[in-house]
Amino acid sequence: MTITVLRLGHRPQRDKRLSTHLILCARALGAERVIYTGMKDPRLEEGIANVVKEWGGSFRLEYTSSRRSVIRNWNGKMVHLTMYGLQAHEVINEVKKNEEPLLIVVGGAKVPWDVYEEADWNISVTTQPHSEVSALAIFMHLLQGDAALQHEFPGGRLKITPNPRGKDVDVEGGRRKRGSAKTKSSELT
Amino acid sequence: MTITVLRLGHRPQRDKRLSTHLILCARALGAERVIYTGMKDPRLEEGIANVVKEWGGSFRLEYTSSRRSVIRNWNGKMVHLTMYGLQAHEVINEVKKNEEPLLIVVGGAKVPWDVYEEADWNISVTTQPHSEVSALAIFMHLLQGDAALQHEFPGGRLKITPNPRGKDVDVEGGRRKRGSAKTKSSELT
């Protein structure tokens, strides 16, 4: 099952960092694409394109002015993440049975009712207020299990080797940047 | 094991919404407290206090000017979430054995080396860049399993009843607000 995330109602001034975090979360956990609505934001797109170039993979960010056309023309199933929905851990097995492309819709400020109506599942993570970023992260982890944490991102310039106490980054071409508590912190960010 | 989150380097202008999301994520998934450093931010504190009042539970947000004193005086174990650390799904069983109070440290912009040194575990979620909000969410879910999604928040004014297609909110005193695709959207947010 491929995963696409539809982020509603992006506002460049107010949401730039949150949308960036949300989009990077989708990418890191294996979505192949995020489509966003609201205001088109070249700086957001540029920031994400830079991450993809540096860190690899074939993730794409796309803008659309029409939420309705994405939803109406979606050839697969649709989950809407909302704090009012059914508990994620209770419906996840049903969603997992799906093999069609999955669209995960994540609100902005106010989600129009047609999204609730057209979703195959309206799903909540905890029914408490928190964040679309944490809701998306946990939902994608529930959906894929720990495979969500092990996607490959070929072709990037940078790759981290997990390290218990410092920083270890492979840079394309065989160079290696390492840092530890004994390295000057200016050498690595 | 109780969970406290230490959020480093909050900047009111730049981070208000991200810190709010991070703190609400910690609360929703069962942390009993978030301590933050950086600049003290009364608006952040007020926003969180309002959520706790409305939605219940005994979660607390505290400010400290000294990261070092929180870490040095911590009576328990400490996890530092960093993209450079060991893979969360590979070390989680070791962390789960801990029964002492757990401090989860989550960066801001640049995390000083003493945090890497003093942590019992430096832990990464995917080793890809994404968000401290998604990293914290997935780590807390790995740590507690689906119990992370089922914490109780007694004493709040509002409580959601999960709904497959609309909004169903119990308001203290027996009042109930319901919305569906057939309700005018202005009736409920």
Side-chain angles (χ1 to χ4, degrees), chain A residues 11 14-15 17-18 21 24-25 27-29 51 55 83-87 89 110 113 116-120 122 125-134 137-138 141-142 146 148-150 153 160-169 179-181 183-185 188-189, chain B residues 11 14-15 17-18 21 24-25 27-29 51 55 83-87 89 110 113 116-120 122 125-134 137-138 141-142 146 148-150 153 160-169 179-181 183-185 188-189:
Chain A
R11 298 157 298 183
R14 192 170 152 84
D15 298 327
R17 293 186 69 219
L18 264 178
H21 284 227
L24 292 181
C25 164
R27 172 187 171 274
L29 301 177
V51 170
W55 293 92
M83 69 187 290
Y84 301 99
L86 299 176
Q87 289 277 22
H89 57 281
K110 185 148 191 156
W113 276 115
Y116 288 81
E117 270 196 320
E118 305 211 16
D120 295 289
N122 289 286
V125 172
T126 76
T127 70
Q128 289 287 318
H130 47 114
S131 171
E132 58 266 39
V133 183
S134 35
I138 286 182
H141 185 222
L142 281 169
D146 288 352
L149 314 178
Q150 299 170 72
F153 296 88
I160 287 171
T161 301
N163 189 301
R165 186 104 17 223
K167 300 177 182 180
D168 188 351
V169 186
S180 76
T183 318
K184 267 186 285 176
S185 67
L188 264 180
T189 311
Chain B
R11 298 159 296 183
R14 192 171 152 84
D15 298 327
R17 293 187 67 219
L18 264 177
H21 284 227
L24 292 181
C25 166
R27 172 187 172 275
L29 301 177
V51 170
W55 294 92
M83 69 188 289
Y84 301 100
L86 298 177
Q87 288 278 22
H89 56 283
K110 187 150 190 157
W113 277 114
Y116 288 82
E117 269 194 320
E118 305 210 17
D120 294 289
N122 289 286
V125 172
T126 75
T127 71
Q128 289 287 318
H130 48 112
S131 170
E132 58 267 39
V133 182
S134 34
I138 287 182
H141 185 223
L142 282 169
D146 288 353
L149 313 179
Q150 299 170 71
F153 297 87
I160 287 170
T161 301
N163 190 301
R165 186 102 20 220
K167 300 177 181 179
D168 187 351
V169 186
S180 75
T183 318
K184 263 186 285 172
S185 66
L188 264 178
T189 309

Side-chain angles (χ1 to χ4, degrees), chain A residues 90-170:
Chain A
E90 291 175 1
V91 290
I92 197 68
N93 285 333
E94 200 186 305
V95 185
K96 276 180 169 176
K97 286 182 200 149
N98 166 51
E99 293 178 356
E100 296 178 70
L102 187 67
L103 183 68
I104 304 175
V105 184
V106 180
K110 185 148 191 156
V111 176
W113 276 115
D114 65 279
V115 176
Y116 288 81
E117 270 196 320
E118 305 211 16
D120 295 289
W121 298 279
N122 289 286
I123 294 181
S124 175
V125 172
T126 76
T127 70
Q128 289 287 318
H130 47 114
S131 171
E132 58 266 39
V133 183
S134 35
L136 180 65
I138 286 182
F139 179 74
M140 289 186 75
H141 185 222
L142 281 169
L143 189 63
Q144 305 171 83
D146 288 352
L149 314 178
Q150 299 170 72
H151 288 283
E152 296 284 338
F153 296 88
R157 205 176 65 85
L158 302 172
K159 190 170 165 36
I160 287 171
T161 301
N163 189 301
R165 186 104 17 223
K167 300 177 182 180
D168 188 351
V169 186
D170 288 318

